[in-house]
Amino acid sequence: MIIIGEKINGTIPAIRGAIEKRDAKFIAECAIKQEEAGADFIDVCAGTAPELEIEALKWLMEVVQNATETPLCIDSPNPRVIEAAFKYANKPGLINSVSDEGEKCEVLLPLMDGNTWEVIGLTCNNKGIPCDVQTKVDIAKIMVDKAAKFGITPDRIHIDPCVMALSTNNDSLLNFTREISEIRALYPTIHITAGLSNISFGLPARSLMNKTFLALAIQAGMDSAVMDPTNQDMMGTIFAAYALLGKDKYCRAYSKAFRQGKITIPEK
């Protein structure tokens, strides 16, 4: 499972405060904790006012890169912000994100030409997030075709089918698993990712719903996730799911994670 650490995001009040105060120690500690917990990428999203976002994002990138060796996931809803900050990355990482909306593909995909950067592709367009499976699959096709023009192969793309909240769509998980199946049938090497907590929006006991969704999504073929790697319950679910699905020989990774304290037994 490819873990994209989500904790350095300016929409989180504590992170927003640290950005405003330029509290490098706080941000660095957050990055280090995610790296030590197993993050493969560390998402950096300034989430500030548009006129301040580029400078804030550059600062976040500098702080995180000074603190860890983990590649960045450069994150902004504005492709021009990512374009401006891109050159400050020390090594190839992940762009978050493109979609069939506006000029995102046209601005961001050329940045990946001739290197090994990866990208998250959201299955949405100028009309928003589709409710039907086929439209999402069609959008994925469009993005893969556009990426190919810049030498970007499917194995460098993380498709996010934009899972809907279960509270508003009772077939959310079922549609998500169909989307995984149909996209993977077209592109066997493509990655499938998701923002896990979207599924539980508006529901009580959200952590229970998130963990259950994670296990079922892994079984369906999801191999990437935007999540909190320091959440031991969620990480434990990943290790347990991989062991149960026969993807962890003799449960070695599961046992090692337990010995290292990365997963714990829930308190009674």
Side-chain angles (χ1 to χ4, degrees), residues 164-167 196-207 209-210:
M164 308 298 287
L166 191 65
S167 58
L196 298 180
S197 60
N198 293 348
I199 191 73
S200 64
F201 183 79
L203 293 174
R206 293 188 67 182
S207 62
M209 188 64 70
N210 292 343

Side-chain angles (χ1 to χ4, degrees), residues 171-246:
D171 291 331
S172 181
L173 172 67
L174 300 177
N175 288 340
F176 186 72
T177 58
R178 284 181 56 203
E179 289 150 12
I180 293 175
S181 177
E182 294 192 23
I183 292 170
R184 273 275 169 70
L186 294 169
Y187 313 106
T189 62
I190 208 163
H191 298 292
I192 304 293
T193 194
L196 298 180
S197 60
N198 293 348
I199 191 73
S200 64
F201 183 79
L203 293 174
R206 293 188 67 182
S207 62
L208 174 61
M209 188 64 70
N210 292 343
K211 287 189 295 183
T212 306
F213 169 73
L214 175 57
L216 293 172
I218 290 172
Q219 183 180 30
M222 185 181 76
D223 65 342
S224 169
V226 181
M227 59 176 285
D228 176 7
T230 68
N231 184 322
Q232 292 189 329
D233 281 349
M234 294 293 282
M235 292 298 287
T237 297
I238 292 173
F239 285 110
Y242 270 71
L244 288 165
L245 292 170

Side-chain angles (χ1 to χ4, degrees), residues 44-61 74-89 95-97 103-104 107-108 111:
V44 284
C45 179
T48 55
E51 65 274 14
L52 304 174
E53 188 177 4
I54 292 175
E55 190 59 37
L57 184 55
K58 286 168 53 181
W59 177 79
L60 281 177
M61 292 171 64
I74 305 177
D75 185 355
S76 174
N78 184 341
R80 294 298 178 181
V81 169
I82 297 177
E83 180 185 41
F86 182 81
K87 61 186 176 183
Y88 297 100
I95 289 174
N96 188 7
S97 57
E103 60 177 1
K104 289 186 176 182
V107 172
L108 298 177
L111 300 177

Side-chain angles (χ1 to χ4, degrees), residues 22-121:
R22 293 298 193 263
D23 187 345
K25 181 180 178 181
F26 183 88
I27 297 296
E29 288 175 351
C30 185
I32 291 168
K33 287 178 182 177
Q34 291 184 94
E35 180 180 59
E36 291 176 344
D40 298 289
F41 298 93
I42 296 178
D43 190 270
V44 284
C45 179
T48 55
E51 65 274 14
L52 304 174
E53 188 177 4
I54 292 175
E55 190 59 37
L57 184 55
K58 286 168 53 181
W59 177 79
L60 281 177
M61 292 171 64
E62 180 181 4
V63 172
V64 173
Q65 290 180 129
N66 286 339
T68 78
E69 294 296 322
T70 302
L72 298 177
C73 173
I74 305 177
D75 185 355
S76 174
N78 184 341
R80 294 298 178 181
V81 169
I82 297 177
E83 180 185 41
F86 182 81
K87 61 186 176 183
Y88 297 100
N90 292 342
K91 67 176 79 172
L94 185 61
I95 289 174
N96 188 7
S97 57
V98 299
S99 68
D100 193 33
E101 178 185 13
E103 60 177 1
K104 289 186 176 182
C105 283
E106 288 67 28
V107 172
L108 298 177
L109 293 179
L111 300 177
M112 301 172 60
D113 191 2
N115 55 51
T116 59
W117 276 81
E118 300 178 26
V119 65
I120 293 175

Side-chain angles (χ1 to χ4, degrees), residues 133-195:
V133 173
Q134 188 56 53
T135 302
K136 289 185 176 183
V137 174
D138 290 341
I139 293 173
K141 290 180 186 177
I142 290 170
M143 289 190 289
V144 171
D145 288 346
K146 288 183 177 181
K149 295 177 182 178
F150 298 97
I152 303 165
T153 50
D155 59 304
R156 292 169 59 193
I157 301 172
H158 299 242
I159 290 292
D160 182 348
C162 298
V163 63
M164 308 298 287
L166 191 65
S167 58
T168 62
N169 185 334
N170 199 57
D171 291 331
S172 181
L173 172 67
L174 300 177
N175 288 340
F176 186 72
T177 58
R178 284 181 56 203
E179 289 150 12
I180 293 175
S181 177
E182 294 192 23
I183 292 170
R184 273 275 169 70
L186 294 169
Y187 313 106
T189 62
I190 208 163
H191 298 292
I192 304 293
T193 194

